[in-house]
Amino acid sequence: MKVCHITSGHNYDDVRIFQKECVSLAKGGYEVYLIAVGESSFQDGVNIIGIGEPTKSRLKRMMVTTKKAYKEAVDVDAQIYHFHDPELLPYGLRLKRDGKKVIFDSHENYKAQILEKKYIPQMLRKVIAFLYRTYESYVVKHFDAVIIPCTIGGVNIFDNIAKKTVYIDNLPVMSELTDRYQERNFVDCKSICYVGGLTYNRGITHLIKAADKAGVKLILAGNFMPSSYGDEVKKMPQYQNVDYKGYLNRNDVINIYKECAIGICTILNVGQYNMGDNFATKVYEYMSSGLPVIISESAHAKRVLKEYEFGLCVPPDDIEAISEAINYLLNNPDIAKEMGESGRRAVLERYNWDIEEEKLLFLYEELSEKGT
């Protein structure tokens, strides 16, 4: 069966879309197409259809890139279409009206996300968020399935809206991280790391101050968003303890994990952050690499830490608490090692892509059996 993934906002090599979902489907025997920004190629069993270079203009992406993606999607003439961006909702509806099976992969709680968009005037955010959610609810009723990473406070935000909801989280690929595990010396290793998007809301300013207070090297990898935030951060006196690596490929990210003693993800309690019943993908990657983790305090974090004591949770805006947690783990290498081993066990037993892959393949098998 021919299936087609579509994204207007992600690069063709996106970890979740290409390296996990598309590759898993190709291994499962499907003829897989991926329409995304970038160049066309054939990789790991996936036919990548490039639609040009990414644009920095949000309006151009929504008006031009989406149309290019839709045109290519029609030409593919697949049985199942699986798309990954909210601006593609109208085109998903068109494909459904043409008799196709359609899946909406909702990576985020977009209504909550809109409420925090700084480029939207504050007085308009609630109106736009309401209009988006109203339209989203109308459209997904016609789709065959919606994929979401998790519930939010135990609630499925698509309950009584979507025909079918499947929970598929962006968890680590076993062979990529756990199989490349390298035991570290927690006595000598004193660096900590954060890998991912670098924004104020993700706690980077507080983290830099906490690392400086603890007197440790903080390795940051990723892009500052916006770039002006990066300029602002680099002027901070506490930035002297930061080793900024920029945006790295997967192999270099794994090497960073190997040289650190702690992985940190102290995302601030803003918008949708820390509301979901899961962790940011970077947390699972830290765990699979054997790193103890310092994470934002949340109901979900407390529940999981009771079962797998893989780290410490702290109020993400409390610089003193973050600093104390860093020092506690660095000063207690045996405890840090035990937490790292507990995190690896959690990933091996529960939080890995092999489990999510089975759910994805089962969904596609269900849709395939129903036919078009």
Side-chain angles (χ1 to χ4, degrees):
M1 175 169 283
K2 188 185 293 186
V3 302
C4 181
H5 281 240
I6 315 168
T7 175
S8 53
H10 300 80
N11 289 333
Y12 78 90
D13 59 351
D14 180 87
V15 174
R16 177 191 178 99
I17 299 171
F18 170 68
Q19 297 183 22
K20 293 177 183 175
E21 293 185 342
C22 287
V23 171
S24 290
L25 289 166
K27 288 191 301 181
Y30 292 92
E31 182 181 349
V32 183
Y33 291 80
L34 169 60
I35 298 170
V37 294
E39 297 181 356
S40 299
S41 63
F42 181 79
Q43 298 183 35
D44 297 328
V46 179
N47 301 280
I48 300 168
I49 300 174
I51 51 175
E53 294 303 310
T55 174
K56 293 183 179 180
S57 167
R58 295 183 184 89
L59 185 60
K60 187 176 180 181
R61 190 183 90 185
M62 294 176 69
M63 301 299 293
V64 179
T65 307
T66 54
K67 288 182 179 179
K68 285 184 180 179
Y70 173 68
K71 181 179 181 299
E72 294 291 350
V74 171
D75 290 343
V76 168
D77 192 25
Q79 283 78 41
I80 300 176
Y81 286 90
H82 183 147
F83 63 97
H84 297 266
D85 305 282
E87 62 260 32
L88 291 168
L89 282 168
Y91 298 105
L93 191 58
R94 289 190 194 181
L95 290 165
K96 184 60 192 171
R97 287 170 176 165
D98 288 339
K100 305 299 185 179
K101 297 293 181 182
V102 176
I103 302 168
F104 176 41
D105 203 327
S106 182
H107 298 197
E108 313 279 353
N109 179 352
Y110 293 112
K111 177 184 175 181
Q113 199 179 53
I114 290 168
L115 292 172
E116 300 301 324
K117 295 293 187 183
K118 302 299 182 185
Y119 58 83
I120 301 175
Q122 192 164 9
M123 66 179 67
L124 295 178
R125 290 177 201 170
K126 286 186 178 180
V127 175
I128 294 174
F130 171 78
L131 292 174
Y132 169 77
R133 181 59 174 169
T134 301
Y135 181 70
E136 179 187 63
S137 299
Y138 164 74
V139 172
V140 300
K141 286 179 181 179
H142 301 277
F143 294 165
D144 298 277
V146 174
I147 292 174
I148 56 176
C150 63
T151 54
I152 297 176
V155 175
N156 171 9
I157 62 173
F158 288 97
D159 193 28
N160 297 319
I161 298 174
K163 292 179 183 177
K164 183 181 185 63
T165 304
V166 181
Y167 302 104
I168 299 179
D169 205 355
N170 189 13
L171 299 181
V173 175
M174 297 277 280
S175 59
E176 182 184 32
L177 291 165
T178 55
D179 292 356
R180 296 175 64 180
Y181 168 70
Q182 178 178 303
E183 190 168 333
R184 60 186 47 75
N185 184 338
F186 283 97
V187 174
D188 297 330
C189 189
K190 300 298 180 183
S191 297
I192 64 176
C193 67
Y194 174 97
V195 175
L198 305 174
T199 69
Y200 180 85
N201 286 350
R202 294 181 187 183
I204 300 306
T205 297
H206 297 75
L207 181 53
I208 291 172
K209 291 179 179 179
D212 180 73
K213 189 174 183 65
V216 299
K217 181 171 75 172
L218 168 62
I219 299 177
L220 293 178
N223 290 328
F224 283 104
M225 299 179 289
S227 57
S228 58
Y229 173 64
D231 297 334
E232 175 187 325
V233 161
K234 291 171 185 177
K235 294 176 183 177
M236 294 169 56
Q238 298 91 342
Y239 191 78
Q240 62 183 342
N241 286 327
V242 173
D243 181 5
Y244 177 52
K245 301 292 189 180
Y247 185 83
L248 301 177
N249 61 39
R250 295 298 297 161
N251 190 61
D252 289 337
V253 167
I254 293 170
N255 288 333
I256 282 181
Y257 294 155
K258 290 179 180 179
E259 66 178 273
C260 289
I262 303 170
I264 300 200
C265 183
T266 47
I267 296 174
L268 301 181
N269 294 317
V270 177
Q272 65 176 332
Y273 292 149
N274 302 324
M275 293 174 60
D277 298 319
N278 70 343
F279 298 121
T281 302
K282 62 182 67 62
V283 173
Y284 300 115
E285 292 188 353
Y286 299 154
M287 293 163 66
S288 66
S289 298
L291 290 172
V293 187
I294 298 174
I295 52 175
S296 302
E297 193 173 60
S298 70
H300 177 71
K302 291 177 180 177
R303 283 195 301 269
V304 178
L305 282 169
K306 281 185 178 179
E307 184 174 0
Y308 296 103
E309 194 175 350
F310 64 88
L312 303 170
C313 59
V314 296
D317 57 352
D318 190 333
I319 294 167
E320 182 70 29
I322 299 171
S323 176
E324 288 178 358
I326 293 170
N327 281 324
Y328 175 78
L329 292 175
L330 293 180
N331 293 333
N332 294 276
D334 290 341
I335 293 175
K337 182 179 180 181
E338 288 177 7
M339 287 181 172
E341 290 172 350
S342 181
R344 273 177 50 76
R345 186 171 69 256
V347 170
L348 291 168
E349 292 176 357
R350 183 178 301 178
Y351 302 110
N352 62 74
W353 179 250
D354 287 9
I355 295 172
E356 306 306 289
E357 180 182 70
E358 288 183 13
K359 293 188 284 186
L360 178 70
L361 292 174
F362 185 74
L363 170 62
Y364 269 72
E365 185 178 332
E366 278 190 319
L367 296 183
S368 300
E369 289 175 351
K370 291 177 181 179
T372 58

mmCIF file of all heavy atoms in Angstrom, residues 201-236:
data_model
loop_
_atom_site.group_PDB
_atom_site.id
_atom_site.type_symbol
_atom_site.label_atom_id
_atom_site.label_comp_id
_atom_site.label_asym_id
_atom_site.label_seq_id
_atom_site.Cartn_x
_atom_site.Cartn_y
_atom_site.Cartn_z
ATOM 1 N N ASN A 201 11.260 30.611 27.382
ATOM 2 C CA ASN A 201 10.222 29.775 27.979
ATOM 3 C C ASN A 201 10.687 28.361 28.274
ATOM 4 O O ASN A 201 10.084 27.664 29.101
ATOM 5 C CB ASN A 201 8.991 29.727 27.075
ATOM 6 C CG ASN A 201 8.195 31.014 27.103
ATOM 7 O OD1 ASN A 201 8.438 31.889 27.933
ATOM 8 N ND2 ASN A 201 7.235 31.148 26.193
ATOM 9 N N ARG A 202 11.751 27.939 27.617
ATOM 10 C CA ARG A 202 12.296 26.612 27.909
ATOM 11 C C ARG A 202 13.329 26.663 29.037
ATOM 12 O O ARG A 202 14.053 25.700 29.269
ATOM 13 C CB ARG A 202 12.882 26.003 26.641
ATOM 14 C CG ARG A 202 11.788 25.716 25.610
ATOM 15 C CD ARG A 202 12.293 25.099 24.343
ATOM 16 N NE ARG A 202 11.207 25.010 23.355
ATOM 17 C CZ ARG A 202 11.321 24.462 22.160
ATOM 18 N NH1 ARG A 202 12.472 23.950 21.775
ATOM 19 N NH2 ARG A 202 10.293 24.432 21.339
ATOM 20 N N GLY A 203 13.372 27.799 29.708
ATOM 21 C CA GLY A 203 14.154 27.901 30.936
ATOM 22 C C GLY A 203 15.636 28.148 30.776
ATOM 23 O O GLY A 203 16.397 27.989 31.739
ATOM 24 N N ILE A 204 16.057 28.577 29.590
ATOM 25 C CA ILE A 204 17.492 28.695 29.339
ATOM 26 C C ILE A 204 18.139 29.800 30.182
ATOM 27 O O ILE A 204 19.241 29.625 30.715
ATOM 28 C CB ILE A 204 17.751 28.930 27.836
ATOM 29 C CG1 ILE A 204 17.193 27.767 27.016
ATOM 30 C CG2 ILE A 204 19.245 29.084 27.573
ATOM 31 C CD1 ILE A 204 17.688 26.399 27.436
ATOM 32 N N THR A 205 17.475 30.932 30.331
ATOM 33 C CA THR A 205 18.046 32.018 31.139
ATOM 34 C C THR A 205 18.249 31.563 32.582
ATOM 35 O O THR A 205 19.329 31.773 33.174
ATOM 36 C CB THR A 205 17.123 33.251 31.108
ATOM 37 O OG1 THR A 205 17.030 33.733 29.766
ATOM 38 C CG2 THR A 205 17.680 34.365 31.994
ATOM 39 N N HIS A 206 17.245 30.926 33.154
ATOM 40 C CA HIS A 206 17.345 30.431 34.525
ATOM 41 C C HIS A 206 18.418 29.356 34.643
ATOM 42 O O HIS A 206 19.162 29.306 35.632
ATOM 43 C CB HIS A 206 16.003 29.858 34.983
ATOM 44 C CG HIS A 206 14.904 30.876 35.035
ATOM 45 N ND1 HIS A 206 14.284 31.357 33.899
ATOM 46 C CD2 HIS A 206 14.299 31.493 36.086
ATOM 47 C CE1 HIS A 206 13.350 32.226 34.246
ATOM 48 N NE2 HIS A 206 13.341 32.330 35.567
ATOM 49 N N LEU A 207 18.511 28.509 33.632
ATOM 50 C CA LEU A 207 19.479 27.417 33.648
ATOM 51 C C LEU A 207 20.915 27.940 33.615
ATOM 52 O O LEU A 207 21.793 27.436 34.333
ATOM 53 C CB LEU A 207 19.219 26.485 32.458
ATOM 54 C CG LEU A 207 20.112 25.259 32.315
ATOM 55 C CD1 LEU A 207 20.138 24.443 33.598
ATOM 56 C CD2 LEU A 207 19.626 24.407 31.151
ATOM 57 N N ILE A 208 21.158 28.951 32.790
ATOM 58 C CA ILE A 208 22.500 29.546 32.721
ATOM 59 C C ILE A 208 22.890 30.136 34.074
ATOM 60 O O ILE A 208 24.023 29.956 34.558
ATOM 61 C CB ILE A 208 22.549 30.619 31.614
ATOM 62 C CG1 ILE A 208 22.445 29.967 30.234
ATOM 63 C CG2 ILE A 208 23.834 31.444 31.709
ATOM 64 C CD1 ILE A 208 22.287 30.945 29.090
ATOM 65 N N LYS A 209 21.949 30.818 34.712
ATOM 66 C CA LYS A 209 22.234 31.404 36.028
ATOM 67 C C LYS A 209 22.469 30.320 37.075
ATOM 68 O O LYS A 209 23.349 30.456 37.938
ATOM 69 C CB LYS A 209 21.072 32.307 36.450
ATOM 70 C CG LYS A 209 20.939 33.566 35.610
ATOM 71 C CD LYS A 209 19.748 34.411 36.052
ATOM 72 C CE LYS A 209 19.635 35.687 35.221
ATOM 73 N NZ LYS A 209 18.452 36.502 35.633
ATOM 74 N N ALA A 210 21.700 29.228 37.007
ATOM 75 C CA ALA A 210 21.860 28.137 37.974
ATOM 76 C C ALA A 210 23.196 27.420 37.789
ATOM 77 O O ALA A 210 23.858 27.059 38.775
ATOM 78 C CB ALA A 210 20.702 27.153 37.833
ATOM 79 N N ALA A 211 23.602 27.206 36.538
ATOM 80 C CA ALA A 211 24.877 26.550 36.271
ATOM 81 C C ALA A 211 26.034 27.396 36.772
ATOM 82 O O ALA A 211 27.002 26.885 37.345
ATOM 83 C CB ALA A 211 25.013 26.271 34.773
ATOM 84 N N ASP A 212 25.926 28.711 36.563
ATOM 85 C CA ASP A 212 26.965 29.615 37.057
ATOM 86 C C ASP A 212 27.033 29.587 38.586
ATOM 87 O O ASP A 212 28.114 29.551 39.175
ATOM 88 C CB ASP A 212 26.685 31.033 36.572
ATOM 89 C CG ASP A 212 27.734 32.031 37.055
ATOM 90 O OD1 ASP A 212 28.871 31.993 36.534
ATOM 91 O OD2 ASP A 212 27.430 32.832 37.960
ATOM 92 N N LYS A 213 25.887 29.565 39.216
ATOM 93 C CA LYS A 213 25.821 29.526 40.687
ATOM 94 C C LYS A 213 26.439 28.235 41.220
ATOM 95 O O LYS A 213 27.099 28.223 42.263
ATOM 96 C CB LYS A 213 24.376 29.653 41.143
ATOM 97 C CG LYS A 213 24.198 29.854 42.647
ATOM 98 C CD LYS A 213 22.754 30.123 42.981
ATOM 99 C CE LYS A 213 22.599 30.405 44.467
ATOM 100 N NZ LYS A 213 23.275 31.652 44.881
ATOM 101 N N ALA A 214 26.224 27.137 40.480
ATOM 102 C CA ALA A 214 26.782 25.847 40.886
ATOM 103 C C ALA A 214 28.252 25.698 40.493
ATOM 104 O O ALA A 214 28.928 24.764 40.940
ATOM 105 C CB ALA A 214 25.968 24.715 40.259
ATOM 106 N N GLY A 215 28.737 26.605 39.641
ATOM 107 C CA GLY A 215 30.139 26.563 39.223
ATOM 108 C C GLY A 215 30.463 25.424 38.282
ATOM 109 O O GLY A 215 31.565 24.855 38.333
ATOM 110 N N VAL A 216 29.518 25.064 37.391
ATOM 111 C CA VAL A 216 29.742 23.959 36.461
ATOM 112 C C VAL A 216 29.628 24.441 35.017
ATOM 113 O O VAL A 216 29.021 25.473 34.734
ATOM 114 C CB VAL A 216 28.724 22.819 36.687
ATOM 115 C CG1 VAL A 216 28.864 22.256 38.086
ATOM 116 C CG2 VAL A 216 27.291 23.299 36.443
ATOM 117 N N LYS A 217 30.216 23.654 34.121
ATOM 118 C CA LYS A 217 30.107 23.958 32.694
ATOM 119 C C LYS A 217 28.763 23.468 32.173
ATOM 120 O O LYS A 217 28.373 22.320 32.398
ATOM 121 C CB LYS A 217 31.239 23.302 31.905
ATOM 122 C CG LYS A 217 31.179 23.599 30.403
ATOM 123 C CD LYS A 217 32.413 23.124 29.665
ATOM 124 C CE LYS A 217 32.443 21.637 29.481
ATOM 125 N NZ LYS A 217 33.541 21.188 28.595
ATOM 126 N N LEU A 218 28.055 24.351 31.485
ATOM 127 C CA LEU A 218 26.778 24.015 30.873
ATOM 128 C C LEU A 218 26.965 23.941 29.363
ATOM 129 O O LEU A 218 27.303 24.936 28.721
ATOM 130 C CB LEU A 218 25.727 25.071 31.220
ATOM 131 C CG LEU A 218 24.404 25.021 30.433
ATOM 132 C CD1 LEU A 218 23.663 23.704 30.688
ATOM 133 C CD2 LEU A 218 23.526 26.219 30.781
ATOM 134 N N ILE A 219 26.753 22.766 28.801
ATOM 135 C CA ILE A 219 26.826 22.590 27.352
ATOM 136 C C ILE A 219 25.429 22.782 26.773
ATOM 137 O O ILE A 219 24.484 22.095 27.149
ATOM 138 C CB ILE A 219 27.370 21.199 26.978
ATOM 139 C CG1 ILE A 219 28.784 21.017 27.527
ATOM 140 C CG2 ILE A 219 27.356 21.007 25.467
ATOM 141 C CD1 ILE A 219 29.377 19.634 27.271
ATOM 142 N N LEU A 220 25.301 23.745 25.868
ATOM 143 C CA LEU A 220 24.038 24.004 25.183
ATOM 144 C C LEU A 220 24.180 23.626 23.719
ATOM 145 O O LEU A 220 25.162 24.006 23.070
ATOM 146 C CB LEU A 220 23.654 25.483 25.284
ATOM 147 C CG LEU A 220 23.293 26.046 26.660
ATOM 148 C CD1 LEU A 220 22.983 27.539 26.541
ATOM 149 C CD2 LEU A 220 22.105 25.311 27.270
ATOM 150 N N ALA A 221 23.199 22.909 23.191
ATOM 151 C CA ALA A 221 23.195 22.557 21.767
ATOM 152 C C ALA A 221 21.803 22.806 21.208
ATOM 153 O O ALA A 221 20.804 22.392 21.793
ATOM 154 C CB ALA A 221 23.584 21.104 21.576
ATOM 155 N N GLY A 222 21.744 23.521 20.102
ATOM 156 C CA GLY A 222 20.465 23.858 19.490
ATOM 157 C C GLY A 222 20.485 25.275 18.971
ATOM 158 O O GLY A 222 21.509 25.964 19.052
ATOM 159 N N ASN A 223 19.373 25.725 18.451
ATOM 160 C CA ASN A 223 19.268 27.085 17.922
ATOM 161 C C ASN A 223 18.570 27.999 18.916
ATOM 162 O O ASN A 223 17.557 27.615 19.513
ATOM 163 C CB ASN A 223 18.478 27.085 16.606
ATOM 164 C CG ASN A 223 19.250 26.438 15.474
ATOM 165 O OD1 ASN A 223 20.466 26.512 15.426
ATOM 166 N ND2 ASN A 223 18.538 25.793 14.563
ATOM 167 N N PHE A 224 19.112 29.207 19.086
ATOM 168 C CA PHE A 224 18.424 30.217 19.876
ATOM 169 C C PHE A 224 17.246 30.740 19.062
ATOM 170 O O PHE A 224 17.383 31.060 17.875
ATOM 171 C CB PHE A 224 19.372 31.370 20.211
ATOM 172 C CG PHE A 224 20.348 31.054 21.310
ATOM 173 C CD1 PHE A 224 21.677 30.768 21.024
ATOM 174 C CD2 PHE A 224 19.940 31.047 22.640
ATOM 175 C CE1 PHE A 224 22.582 30.480 22.031
ATOM 176 C CE2 PHE A 224 20.840 30.766 23.658
ATOM 177 C CZ PHE A 224 22.158 30.479 23.354
ATOM 178 N N MET A 225 16.092 30.834 19.710
ATOM 179 C CA MET A 225 14.880 31.298 19.030
ATOM 180 C C MET A 225 14.171 32.343 19.892
ATOM 181 O O MET A 225 13.772 32.027 21.027
ATOM 182 C CB MET A 225 13.955 30.116 18.757
ATOM 183 C CG MET A 225 14.575 29.061 17.861
ATOM 184 S SD MET A 225 13.460 27.648 17.563
ATOM 185 C CE MET A 225 13.475 26.857 19.168
ATOM 186 N N PRO A 226 14.037 33.569 19.365
ATOM 187 C CA PRO A 226 14.629 34.067 18.119
ATOM 188 C C PRO A 226 16.136 34.271 18.282
ATOM 189 O O PRO A 226 16.660 34.186 19.398
ATOM 190 C CB PRO A 226 13.898 35.390 17.907
ATOM 191 C CG PRO A 226 13.588 35.862 19.292
ATOM 192 C CD PRO A 226 13.279 34.626 20.077
ATOM 193 N N SER A 227 16.815 34.589 17.202
ATOM 194 C CA SER A 227 18.271 34.774 17.266
ATOM 195 C C SER A 227 18.639 35.937 18.182
ATOM 196 O O SER A 227 19.706 35.936 18.798
ATOM 197 C CB SER A 227 18.841 35.009 15.866
ATOM 198 O OG SER A 227 18.218 36.136 15.256
ATOM 199 N N SER A 228 17.734 36.914 18.298
ATOM 200 C CA SER A 228 17.982 38.056 19.179
ATOM 201 C C SER A 228 18.062 37.617 20.639
ATOM 202 O O SER A 228 18.759 38.229 21.452
ATOM 203 C CB SER A 228 16.890 39.111 19.013
ATOM 204 O OG SER A 228 15.610 38.568 19.291
ATOM 205 N N TYR A 229 17.341 36.539 20.979
ATOM 206 C CA TYR A 229 17.437 36.008 22.340
ATOM 207 C C TYR A 229 18.843 35.482 22.598
ATOM 208 O O TYR A 229 19.394 35.650 23.691
ATOM 209 C CB TYR A 229 16.397 34.906 22.558
ATOM 210 C CG TYR A 229 16.542 34.197 23.884
ATOM 211 C CD1 TYR A 229 16.351 34.879 25.084
ATOM 212 C CD2 TYR A 229 16.880 32.841 23.957
ATOM 213 C CE1 TYR A 229 16.494 34.242 26.312
ATOM 214 C CE2 TYR A 229 17.012 32.194 25.167
ATOM 215 C CZ TYR A 229 16.826 32.901 26.342
ATOM 216 O OH TYR A 229 16.973 32.262 27.555
ATOM 217 N N GLY A 230 19.431 34.857 21.590
ATOM 218 C CA GLY A 230 20.807 34.381 21.728
ATOM 219 C C GLY A 230 21.773 35.521 21.972
ATOM 220 O O GLY A 230 22.679 35.421 22.812
ATOM 221 N N ASP A 231 21.593 36.625 21.256
ATOM 222 C CA ASP A 231 22.448 37.801 21.454
ATOM 223 C C ASP A 231 22.303 38.329 22.882
ATOM 224 O O ASP A 231 23.298 38.725 23.515
ATOM 225 C CB ASP A 231 22.067 38.896 20.457
ATOM 226 C CG ASP A 231 22.296 38.479 19.013
ATOM 227 O OD1 ASP A 231 23.161 37.605 18.785
ATOM 228 O OD2 ASP A 231 21.617 39.011 18.120
ATOM 229 N N GLU A 232 21.083 38.317 23.370
ATOM 230 C CA GLU A 232 20.809 38.799 24.730
ATOM 231 C C GLU A 232 21.468 37.901 25.781
ATOM 232 O O GLU A 232 22.110 38.381 26.727
ATOM 233 C CB GLU A 232 19.290 38.819 24.942
ATOM 234 C CG GLU A 232 18.832 39.180 26.330
ATOM 235 C CD GLU A 232 17.332 38.996 26.479
ATOM 236 O OE1 GLU A 232 16.596 39.249 25.506
ATOM 237 O OE2 GLU A 232 16.896 38.584 27.580
ATOM 238 N N VAL A 233 21.340 36.588 25.591
ATOM 239 C CA VAL A 233 21.894 35.620 26.540
ATOM 240 C C VAL A 233 23.416 35.698 26.606
ATOM 241 O O VAL A 233 24.019 35.622 27.685
ATOM 242 C CB VAL A 233 21.438 34.192 26.152
ATOM 243 C CG1 VAL A 233 22.322 33.139 26.788
ATOM 244 C CG2 VAL A 233 19.985 33.967 26.539
ATOM 245 N N LYS A 234 24.037 35.890 25.457
ATOM 246 C CA LYS A 234 25.505 35.908 25.411
ATOM 247 C C LYS A 234 26.107 37.126 26.100
ATOM 248 O O LYS A 234 27.314 37.162 26.363
ATOM 249 C CB LYS A 234 25.967 35.821 23.953
ATOM 250 C CG LYS A 234 25.681 34.451 23.336
ATOM 251 C CD LYS A 234 25.925 34.421 21.833
ATOM 252 C CE LYS A 234 25.499 33.083 21.252
ATOM 253 N NZ LYS A 234 25.653 33.020 19.770
ATOM 254 N N LYS A 235 25.273 38.101 26.412
ATOM 255 C CA LYS A 235 25.745 39.286 27.138
ATOM 256 C C LYS A 235 25.656 39.098 28.652
ATOM 257 O O LYS A 235 26.144 39.941 29.412
ATOM 258 C CB LYS A 235 24.934 40.513 26.713
ATOM 259 C CG LYS A 235 25.153 40.924 25.264
ATOM 260 C CD LYS A 235 24.237 42.079 24.878
ATOM 261 C CE LYS A 235 24.407 42.445 23.404
ATOM 262 N NZ LYS A 235 23.455 43.528 22.993
ATOM 263 N N MET A 236 25.017 38.018 29.083
ATOM 264 C CA MET A 236 24.882 37.760 30.516
ATOM 265 C C MET A 236 26.253 37.451 31.115
ATOM 266 O O MET A 236 27.025 36.686 30.524
ATOM 267 C CB MET A 236 23.946 36.573 30.770
ATOM 268 C CG MET A 236 22.504 36.795 30.367
ATOM 269 S SD MET A 236 21.523 35.256 30.400
ATOM 270 C CE MET A 236 21.791 34.714 32.104
#
